[in-house]
Amino acid sequence: MTWKTLDDLDLSGKHVLVRVDINVPVEGGKVTDDTRIRRIAPTVADILQAGGTPILLAHFGRPKGKVVPEMSLRPLVPALETAFGAPVTFCADCRGPAAQAAVDSLAQGTVLLLENTRFHPGEEQNDPELAAGMAALGDIYCNDAFSAAHRAHASTEALARLMPACAGRLMQAELEALESALGKPQRPVVAVVGGAKVSTKLELLGNLVAKVDHLVIGGGMANTFLAAQGISVGKSLCEHDMTGTASEILTKAAATGCAILLPVDVVVAREFKAGAANETVPADACPEDAMILDAGPQTVAQISKVLEGAKTLIWNGPMGAFEIEPFDAATNAAARKAADLTRAGSLISVAGGGDTVAALNKAGAAVDFTYISTAGGAFLEWMEGKALPGVAVLSGG
Ligand code: ADP
Ligand code: MG
């Protein structure tokens, strides 16, 4: 796929409508984690540098097509100004006369933030009329919201059809990182997939077994695979109605030559709480009254060995209930191993997913990964092999 970037368009004197994802956590009117804001700063800087004026379009929360004052983007203005080092003005609508007036009075070197696109019902309906209202405000469209690209919404899809369109720097970085990791990857490729449930990652697993050389399955979803092999998992999180599906994935893996690594030993406890009394047992020896909350040290050693022999790693989903100690041990150890190998130059490592990023940050490993995607759903859908509407439209799809 090919798409235009900011380098391919003349931005001088142009109003550039930039779709961004600044759906950041806010508490008491203050931004508590500005990661997503910092990630779009290069795009804003490059547009300003080229003599263009960035006009930001974004959603915030799920107001479901109504004006919900608590979901206004206005409180983000100070955090944006800090990240951009430029004045940011705000307009309480993303189309119409007020927005037009705000655009008309924009000074060069400043940025305009328009109100939550989801205050209009047409946003989530991909309404061409809403898109036309937004298009009237600018000359060029730039999508820098990879994390919203799996949704065909007015500001991510219909709008891109109405004006010259390009990918922003963050979108470019996400696509390039994912392409190089999975498009034409350096082999062997290892996928580490964990998390709570098989059901939420079924298509991901199905796509990966056809593409990767090793698939490490951990977390709660590994229990379903153990159960599929007739192993009792006691009181563990397990989707017993998904064991047939799990067996099919194992069969497909055997057919495609994808080696599956399931836990060989597990950490079990009677309570789901921090510091709960626990023991390490073979994967087929979970007591009836206990639950599996993490992979054991032998499993970690096997994962490390697979990582040592790999050239590319794609990771989604923690290996255990990483939020509560000591059940973060396997996730931490595997993450640090991947980080060490990446730092040493022998591994390309890409990770994504809300909880995954939190887990890798907690392990202190994220900084060494080759690329960490800020996208959750879009990252997964891309890995599932799906075309993302917001990306496809940039490539003329
Ligand atoms: P991501 O957001 O990165 O896609 P998921 O949401 O799929 O990841 O999975 C994360 C959740 O899985 C975490 O809340 C974690 O506690 C849970 N989890 C992992 N292993 C287990 C387990 N053995 N038992 C119960 N929950 C688990
Ligand atoms: Mg999650």
Side-chain angles (χ1 to χ4, degrees):
M1 278 211 275
T2 52
W3 48 83
K4 288 200 167 73
T5 71
L6 289 169
D7 303 316
D8 300 313
L9 298 167
D10 179 12
L11 307 176
S12 174
K14 302 280 168 50
H15 287 141
V16 185
L17 296 173
V18 192
R19 178 55 160 100
V20 292
D21 183 354
I22 45 176
N23 203 5
V24 293
V26 174
E27 270 167 45
K30 286 227 160 65
V31 174
T32 54
D33 179 353
D34 68 347
T35 308
R36 282 184 157 159
I37 293 175
R38 281 186 283 112
R39 287 252 183 148
I40 58 159
T43 295
V44 169
D46 284 0
I47 294 170
L48 289 171
Q49 175 76 30
T53 307
I55 300 170
L56 307 184
L57 289 165
H59 73 279
F60 192 67
R62 298 179 186 271
K64 305 236 165 81
K66 290 196 191 72
V67 176
V68 180
E70 298 76 51
M71 294 181 194
S72 170
L73 283 166
R74 190 191 293 268
L76 271 56
V77 168
L80 292 173
E81 290 189 322
T82 304
F84 302 159
V88 175
T89 52
F90 177 80
C91 175
D93 201 352
C94 66
R95 67 147 181 217
Q100 189 62 58
V103 169
D104 291 343
S105 60
L106 266 178
Q108 247 204 339
T110 65
V111 179
L112 174 62
L113 172 66
L114 299 176
E115 184 58 289
N116 197 342
T117 53
R118 289 189 187 167
F119 281 0
H120 293 283
E123 167 68 341
E124 295 190 57
Q125 295 157 1
N126 202 17
D127 177 18
E129 218 182 287
L130 174 59
M134 296 188 285
L137 301 173
D139 309 300
I140 288 171
Y141 173 74
C142 170
N143 191 343
D144 210 25
F146 175 78
S147 49
H150 57 314
R151 313 229 186 272
H153 288 174
S155 68
T156 62
E157 212 272 350
L159 179 55
R161 299 184 181 280
L162 301 177
M163 50 209 308
C166 70
R169 300 303 185 205
L170 176 57
M171 173 75 94
Q172 227 181 308
E174 294 267 4
L175 291 173
E176 281 165 14
L178 294 180
E179 276 293 331
S180 68
L182 256 197
K184 280 193 202 113
Q186 291 190 43
R187 292 188 180 276
V189 184
V190 186
V192 171
V193 181
K197 293 176 173 179
V198 174
S199 54
T200 59
K201 296 187 180 172
L202 198 57
E203 290 177 83
L204 173 67
L205 293 167
N207 187 43
L208 288 177
V209 290
K211 293 213 167 124
V212 306
D213 305 293
H214 297 267
L215 175 61
V216 176
I217 302 175
M221 70 161 67
N223 303 336
T224 304
F225 281 87
L226 294 174
Q229 296 173 324
I231 293 168
S232 165
V233 295
K235 291 215 163 97
S236 302
L237 177 67
C238 178
E239 293 169 284
H240 289 283
D241 57 336
M242 295 296 291
T243 52
T245 309
S247 298
E248 280 166 31
I249 290 168
L250 296 178
T251 307
K252 186 175 173 189
T256 58
C258 170
I260 301 275
L261 179 59
L262 278 165
V264 291
D265 58 344
V266 290
V267 181
V268 302
R270 267 85 184 168
E271 289 172 290
F272 191 91
K273 70 166 204 210
N278 62 83
E279 56 188 312
T280 302
V281 298
D284 61 359
C286 175
E288 279 313 305
D289 62 343
M291 56 196 154
I292 299 170
L293 292 179
D294 199 12
Q298 283 180 42
T299 306
V300 171
Q302 292 195 358
I303 297 173
S304 295
K305 217 172 139 217
V306 171
L307 291 177
E308 277 165 12
K311 288 256 165 47
T312 303
L313 163 69
I314 326 163
W315 186 329
N316 171 261
M319 293 291 96
F322 76 98
E323 300 96 333
I324 49 173
E325 283 171 24
F327 308 106
D328 56 348
T331 301
N332 289 345
R336 286 179 194 138
K337 182 77 194 179
D340 289 347
L341 293 167
T342 307
R343 209 174 332 106
S346 70
L347 187 69
I348 295 165
S349 51
V350 178
D355 291 295
T356 308
V357 175
L360 297 182
N361 277 325
K362 190 165 169 270
V367 287
D368 285 316
F369 268 58
T370 311
Y371 194 75
I372 300 274
S373 175
T374 50
F379 176 81
L380 277 179
E381 289 197 22
W382 194 94
M383 296 240 298
E384 285 163 6
K386 291 186 186 153
L388 310 183
V391 175
V393 71
L394 295 181
S395 330

